[in-house]
Amino acid sequence: EILMNFVVLLMFAFGEGAVSFGAVRRWLLEVMDQFPRNAVVFNLFVQTEERYGLSHRVRSYWQRAWEGDNNKETLGAVRGGAKLGATPSLVMIMVRFELRRECVPRALGVLERALTKGETRHCAVLWRVLMDVHVHSGKADAAKRVYFRAIS
């Protein structure tokens, strides 16, 4: 809770010009190193990096969030010997990022990868978003195949 209050205060100060972009970036990178699966911090990171067109940094931190690191947050978060991957909220943030950049194949890849992972395989929202992305891409047959995969 204290972290979230600090995030709000920092982003307000950044918006008012009281804090430099470099200071915000350094702080966000430090927090993301400790909590790579925190959706609020990841979303702020995506927004700040996207503002300056730095998509490669977002994608590299997405990879770290997906794989999970041996840090304070993920050390005890192991099920069946496998590290936890990204949460559905992180997946949605990354899909939105890729779609805003008009990288539909990357967005589809993020969704497909998430839907093969045990922790997010049964998330109905992700299946629905995958179908919607196919429909908006003009691939109704692909959307049907996704629907049948989802209900099977």
Side-chain angles (χ1 to χ4, degrees):
E1 190 173 322
I2 292 171
L3 175 67
M4 293 304 113
N5 288 333
F6 183 72
V7 166
V8 170
L9 181 63
L10 182 69
M11 294 314 290
F12 175 76
F14 176 63
E16 295 294 317
V19 178
S20 70
F21 172 69
V24 171
R25 175 189 266 170
R26 279 190 302 276
W27 181 81
L28 283 172
L29 291 177
E30 282 181 34
V31 172
M32 287 189 57
D33 283 340
Q34 293 179 7
F35 307 103
R37 299 180 59 204
N38 185 307
V40 173
V41 175
F42 186 73
N43 192 28
L44 289 174
F45 175 72
V46 167
Q47 289 175 7
T48 56
E49 296 295 308
E50 190 175 33
R51 182 181 217 176
Y52 294 98
L54 301 170
S55 61
H56 64 284
R57 290 191 91 149
V58 173
R59 290 183 181 125
S60 69
Y61 271 86
W62 160 253
Q63 188 66 28
R64 288 180 65 194
W66 181 261
E67 292 171 354
D69 289 337
N70 290 325
N71 60 28
K72 295 175 188 172
E73 184 186 12
T74 56
L75 260 180
V78 177
R79 290 187 195 154
K83 293 180 190 173
L84 292 176
T87 61
S89 57
L90 286 179
V91 173
M92 294 300 295
I93 291 167
M94 195 61 192
V95 167
R96 188 176 63 213
F97 168 77
E98 295 295 1
L99 290 176
R100 279 195 305 256
R101 298 188 65 76
E102 298 181 6
C103 296
V104 175
R106 286 184 187 261
L108 290 171
V110 168
L111 286 164
E112 288 287 350
R113 186 176 180 187
L115 290 170
T116 60
K117 192 80 167 177
E119 292 80 22
T120 52
R121 181 179 302 136
H122 301 292
C123 182
V125 172
L126 296 180
W127 286 104
R128 176 61 191 254
V129 170
L130 181 59
M131 286 186 282
D132 287 345
V133 170
H134 280 301
V135 167
H136 288 291
S137 299
K139 300 175 183 173
D141 290 339
K144 286 180 189 176
R145 285 191 301 273
V146 168
Y147 172 76
F148 291 120
R149 274 179 43 211
I151 61 173
S152 66

